[in-house]
Amino acid sequence: MIVVLKPTAQKNDVERLTKQIEKLGLRTSVVVGTDQTIIGLIGDTTIVDPKTIEVDEAVDHVMRVSEPYKLANRAFHPEDTIVDVAGVKIGGGHLGLIAGPCSVESKEQIIEVAKSVKQSGANILRGGAFKPRTSPYSFQGMGENALDLLLEAKKATGLPICTELMDAEYIPLFNEKVDLVQIGTRNMQNYSLLKKVGREVKKPVMLKRGLASTYEEWIMAAEYIMANGNPNVILCERGIRTFETYTRNTLDLQAIPVLKRITHLPIIIDPSHAGGKWWLVDPMAKASIAAGCDGLMIEVHNDPEKALSDGPQSLRPDKYDSLLKDVKKLADIFGKKYE
Ligand code: PEP
Ligand code: MN
């Protein structure tokens, strides 16, 4: 349920109403927009008679929200959320251009890739440290050492860093070293991890879509993080499993307009894990910008043939550079900013 206040409503009106609602055992979320203030009610709202709130002189109207997600719901927060990743804005017309290797492999590799993607215009560096591999015999990532190499690459380029958190045990380390905490596809429904991320992660979170998750399941996963205290969530579509086997996954571009309609959270597209082939990255990245996404996450490797993970889907730095030239042209056409 949401309570939309009249434009004339004052701070003391908001305080009076939130007290009245909280007395019923419900939680409130107040969003002050440019045109209106909204009080969102969280909890069992079946006990609330809307008329008892509607009579208040500061209230314009009361609406029931039928979706199970509240904090992530566009109705609770009509304006786009802009997430700030160490000074880089994502959402509300600002593009996050995240690039880097699937895995951090060595100091030379991460610094070389970081410098080249920065030169092309990327504004956040990615690099896997803890890798969720399908096979236990595959390279599992360099772990903690990779976080320090990412920090060296950050020092060399100024780019904030994004890497995946798989285990809650590492949250303190990520709070100290990482700028954007990625929750991967395989953990999208790891609810105990999501709760801890909501409570303990002090940085923005990028939540990837599960391999076979519906929009609602995905937004509910974001709701877990938000309900536990971290409102800075970015969604990332990275392809879903379909009957098609030619491509690694199928990129669901419809996710962009649908999610923009039903949530206020930024949505980023990862065309690398979607198609699984480097030559699919360029066209799908451009299509994603045209469809209105808030950013791209792209795997770039200086020597894809020798990459320890995801070489076939990684762009060489020159290909990333030419893609970003086109992305910037599209950004200008669609009025998007990038810093
Ligand atoms: C990744 O970004 O390296 C990754 C493992 O992604 P996903 O969780 O989408 O498979
Ligand atoms: Mn990868």
Side-chain angles (χ1 to χ4, degrees):
M1 186 180 276
I2 62 167
V3 179
V4 181
L5 303 190
K6 288 184 181 145
T8 49
Q10 300 296 310
K11 227 170 151 190
N12 61 323
D13 296 318
V14 176
E15 277 162 19
R16 182 183 62 256
L17 283 157
T18 50
K19 265 201 202 125
Q20 182 188 338
I21 295 160
E22 282 164 8
K23 261 197 202 144
L24 302 169
L26 298 167
R27 282 169 59 199
T28 54
S29 134
V30 179
V31 176
V32 183
T34 42
D35 303 325
Q36 59 188 13
T37 295
I38 290 177
I39 304 174
L41 279 59
I42 303 147
D44 180 15
T45 54
T46 53
I47 56 166
V48 183
D49 177 359
K51 285 193 216 90
T52 60
I53 300 173
E54 244 153 16
V55 290
D56 192 291
E57 58 184 9
V59 172
D60 189 70
H61 62 280
V62 177
M63 247 168 53
R64 286 215 180 266
V65 174
S66 53
E67 293 85 8
Y69 45 92
K70 311 293 177 191
L71 297 169
N73 202 310
R74 180 67 87 174
F76 267 53
H77 190 293
E79 286 162 32
D80 288 347
T81 280
I82 300 175
V83 174
D84 188 309
V85 179
V88 174
K89 292 196 179 82
I90 302 181
H94 302 266
L95 293 178
L97 299 170
I98 308 171
C102 180
S103 301
V104 176
E105 299 172 5
S106 68
K107 181 173 169 181
E108 295 68 35
Q109 175 239 21
I110 193 66
I111 291 193
E112 190 180 323
V113 175
K115 285 183 173 163
S116 79
V117 298
K118 159 97 186 184
Q119 181 81 25
S120 302
N123 50 22
I124 297 175
L125 175 68
R126 67 151 284 149
F130 300 90
K131 297 302 302 177
R133 304 304 299 280
T134 306
S135 164
Y137 309 117
S138 302
F139 176 60
Q140 302 286 305
M142 289 176 72
E144 285 187 53
N145 288 341
L147 297 186
D148 292 324
L149 297 182
L150 284 165
L151 280 177
E152 290 202 38
K154 177 181 179 179
K155 212 157 117 196
T157 57
L159 291 174
I161 53 182
C162 168
T163 194
E164 177 169 350
L165 174 79
M166 290 209 295
D167 194 323
E169 168 193 348
Y170 290 104
I171 291 177
L173 202 63
F174 273 57
N175 276 335
E176 191 191 322
K177 299 185 172 176
V178 175
D179 299 302
L180 177 59
V181 176
Q182 176 173 328
I183 299 299
T185 291
R186 291 153 193 84
N187 272 318
M188 192 208 82
Q189 286 182 314
N190 181 343
Y191 297 118
S192 64
L193 178 64
L194 298 178
K195 284 188 209 169
K196 287 185 190 137
V197 165
R199 281 199 296 265
E200 296 165 29
V201 169
K202 304 298 169 217
K203 304 293 177 73
V205 176
M206 184 173 70
L207 177 68
K208 288 192 143 194
R209 182 179 186 181
L211 271 182
S213 298
T214 63
Y215 298 141
E216 190 166 293
E217 287 163 342
W218 186 14
I219 302 170
M220 288 308 280
E223 187 84 8
Y224 259 92
I225 298 171
M226 300 172 84
N228 280 284
N230 190 335
N232 299 309
V233 180
I234 298 167
L235 300 166
C236 176
E237 156 67 28
R238 45 78 73 204
I240 47 172
R241 188 160 279 179
T242 66
F243 54 81
E244 183 54 69
T245 55
Y246 185 87
T247 50
R248 185 175 180 181
N249 294 290
T250 297
L251 181 62
D252 177 13
L253 283 181
Q254 288 176 169
I256 301 167
V258 172
L259 288 216
K260 294 244 148 240
R261 192 180 173 93
I262 61 182
T263 90
H264 52 89
L265 300 175
I267 173 163
I268 278 195
I269 298 295
D270 169 356
S272 308
H273 290 88
K277 301 181 194 301
W278 68 266
W279 50 269
L280 272 172
V281 171
D282 184 283
M284 299 323 288
K286 290 179 202 162
S288 305
I289 297 285
C293 72
D294 298 299
L296 298 166
M297 159 122 141
I298 291 178
E299 287 187 340
V300 179
H301 198 288
N302 51 349
D303 193 357
E305 268 97 44
K306 296 210 185 75
L308 297 180
S309 59
D310 287 348
Q313 69 195 30
S314 298
L315 290 187
R316 290 179 193 282
D318 61 323
K319 291 270 186 309
Y320 182 69
D321 191 68
S322 74
L323 167 61
L324 273 214
K325 286 199 168 82
D326 287 343
V327 164
K328 287 174 188 167
K329 285 185 211 153
L330 289 171
D332 290 343
I333 294 171
F334 294 108
K336 300 272 180 160
K337 298 185 248 337
Y338 42 88
E339 53 248 341

